[in-house]
């Protein structure tokens, strides 16, 4: 950050009084510019047919990770809840209508200043279509998932946790768990 969004004067990185972290501070008007993590919110859209579970994935049409597969997700907007964001992103990226269930995974990604949230969801129908941020949208069973071509470690973690929970729930009953994780390493290169 170079300039104050309040008065357009240059800002300086300093520790404000009564704070412990460096912040961008405007010496002219005194505004402290806090920078906080961004929320990435999405869904795990599931379709079950004759006992076989498939998940809807999107092939990215944008960077980062152009051409790699991901769950439908994106940055949360102001004035929406995390559930609103999950529904909106699923519709924007996959053209899919879903019934949202409970929060399934929350993954901290501190090196890129993000928190990723994924909700379990049921597809209401199979009328899906790639949005402008997706090259294609496709259903995958666990065995069909292109694991080497998954875009982000948060998506890999969420998918593996989902299928492990699914097996446990199908075998023993019970409910899906909430999964949390911290991912500190940068994603692999192309």
């Amino acid at each position: 950050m170079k300039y104050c969004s309040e008065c357009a004067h240059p800002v300086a990185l300093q520790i404000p009084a009564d704070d412990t972290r460096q912040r961008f501070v405007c010496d002219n008007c005194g505004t402290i510019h806090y920078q906080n993590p961004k929320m990435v919110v999405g869904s795990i859209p599931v379709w079950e047919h004759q006992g076989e579970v498939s998940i809807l994935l999107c092939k990215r049409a944008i960077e980062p990770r152009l051409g790699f597969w991901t769950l439908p997700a994106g940055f949360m907007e102001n004035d929406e809840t995390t559930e609103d964001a999950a529904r909106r992103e699923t519709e924007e990226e996959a053209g899919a209508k879903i019934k949202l269930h409970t929060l399934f995974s929350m993954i901290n990604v501190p090196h890129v200043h993000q928190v990723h949230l994924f909700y379990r969801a049921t597809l209401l129908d199979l009328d899906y279509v790639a949005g402008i941020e997706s090259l294609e949208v496709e259903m995958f069973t666990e065995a069909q998932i292109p694991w080497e071509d998954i875009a982000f470690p948060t998506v890999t973690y969420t998918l593996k946790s989902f299928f492990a929970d699914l097996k446990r729930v199908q075998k023993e009953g019970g409910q899906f768990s909430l999964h949390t994780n911290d991912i500190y390493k940068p994603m692999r290169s192309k």
Side-chain angles (χ1 to χ4, degrees):
M1 183 171 203
K2 294 182 180 183
Y3 299 99
C4 179
S5 58
E6 297 295 318
C7 71
H9 281 80
V11 295
L13 198 56
Q14 55 186 281
I15 300 174
D18 300 323
D19 204 337
T20 58
R21 296 179 179 264
Q22 287 191 331
R23 314 282 185 189
F24 288 105
V25 179
C26 179
D27 288 329
N28 183 61
C29 71
T31 298
I32 301 169
H33 298 276
Y34 295 95
Q35 295 179 312
N36 303 103
K38 299 221 182 253
M39 303 292 290
V40 173
V41 185
S43 72
I44 309 163
V46 173
W47 183 260
E48 186 172 350
H49 180 69
Q50 297 180 341
E52 185 170 72
V53 173
S54 298
I55 293 183
L56 187 66
L57 296 179
C58 306
K59 187 180 256 188
R60 291 180 59 81
I62 59 172
E63 292 291 355
R65 310 297 284 161
L66 172 71
F68 285 78
W69 292 94
T70 188
L71 290 165
F75 290 112
M76 183 175 169
E77 299 288 348
N78 289 335
D79 299 320
E80 69 181 357
T81 67
T82 55
E83 291 179 352
D84 293 339
R87 281 187 204 92
R88 178 184 51 75
E89 286 291 342
T90 303
E91 189 165 345
E92 285 179 4
E93 293 188 6
K97 301 279 190 265
I98 57 172
K99 176 182 178 189
L100 214 57
H101 303 295
T102 57
L103 181 64
F104 181 78
S105 65
M106 181 181 72
I107 305 133
N108 298 301
V109 194
H111 64 278
V112 291
H113 318 292
Q114 295 176 0
V115 178
H116 293 206
L117 303 172
F118 291 96
Y119 284 87
R120 286 187 315 105
T122 301
L123 285 164
L124 296 178
D125 54 47
L126 294 177
D127 294 331
Y128 53 82
V129 62
I132 60 170
E133 294 182 2
S134 300
L135 294 170
E136 54 185 292
V137 182
E138 192 173 324
M139 299 293 297
F140 293 94
T141 64
E142 181 180 17
Q144 296 168 330
I145 289 179
W147 293 106
E148 292 300 313
D149 293 325
I150 297 296
F152 307 106
T154 55
V155 174
T156 298
Y157 172 79
T158 297
L159 288 170
K160 287 187 177 195
S161 298
F162 175 82
F163 283 113
D165 266 21
L166 179 64
K167 286 179 184 143
R168 178 184 51 78
V169 168
Q170 288 174 334
K171 183 178 179 183
E172 303 168 13
Q175 299 179 357
F176 287 85
S177 300
L178 173 62
H179 297 267
T180 62
N181 196 10
D182 300 327
I183 296 179
Y184 290 95
K185 63 179 182 171
M187 60 189 166
R188 59 188 167 82
S189 60
K190 296 180 182 181

